[in-house]
Amino acid sequence: MTSSAALRDAQRDLENKANDLSKLQKDIAKNHQVRKKYTIQLGENELVLKELDLLREGANVYKLIGPVLVKQDLAEANANVRKRIEYISAELKRLDATLQDLEEKQNSKKETILKLQQRIQSLQAGKGKA
């Protein structure tokens, strides 16, 4: 294989790896957006739980369903909010694991790209000497 063919192959490979890295970075950004949304929801639900804890037994609690406020039992409201917090926390853990995996893949791709760039430079330097 000639050095110019090897150089073209290396450059094509580098372009593909760069595209893969770009996709990974987009996935990481999307993960951060979703994580931010869940973190906000978790904060809101924890605040609601604190407010519910301040109420006395038998207090009136209303839940907004569409445009209507519907009376709800305090214990039921408490249970619903706790379940929501549990769900959101689980989602945040899942997102953290996914993020860690994506970041490991990103670092691996960066190393591969760096090695390819070095190979291309050495091929170009060899071609310049010929």
Side-chain angles (χ1 to χ4, degrees), residues 35 38-39 42 87-97:
R35 193 178 191 304
Y38 276 124
T39 303
L42 181 63
Y87 170 78
I88 293 169
S89 296
E91 282 299 299
L92 284 171
K93 282 183 186 172
R94 185 187 62 77
L95 286 169
D96 285 343

Side-chain angles (χ1 to χ4, degrees), residues 57-69:
E57 194 61 42
N60 290 333
V61 177
Y62 296 91
K63 180 178 182 177
L64 186 64
I65 300 177
V68 180
L69 281 175

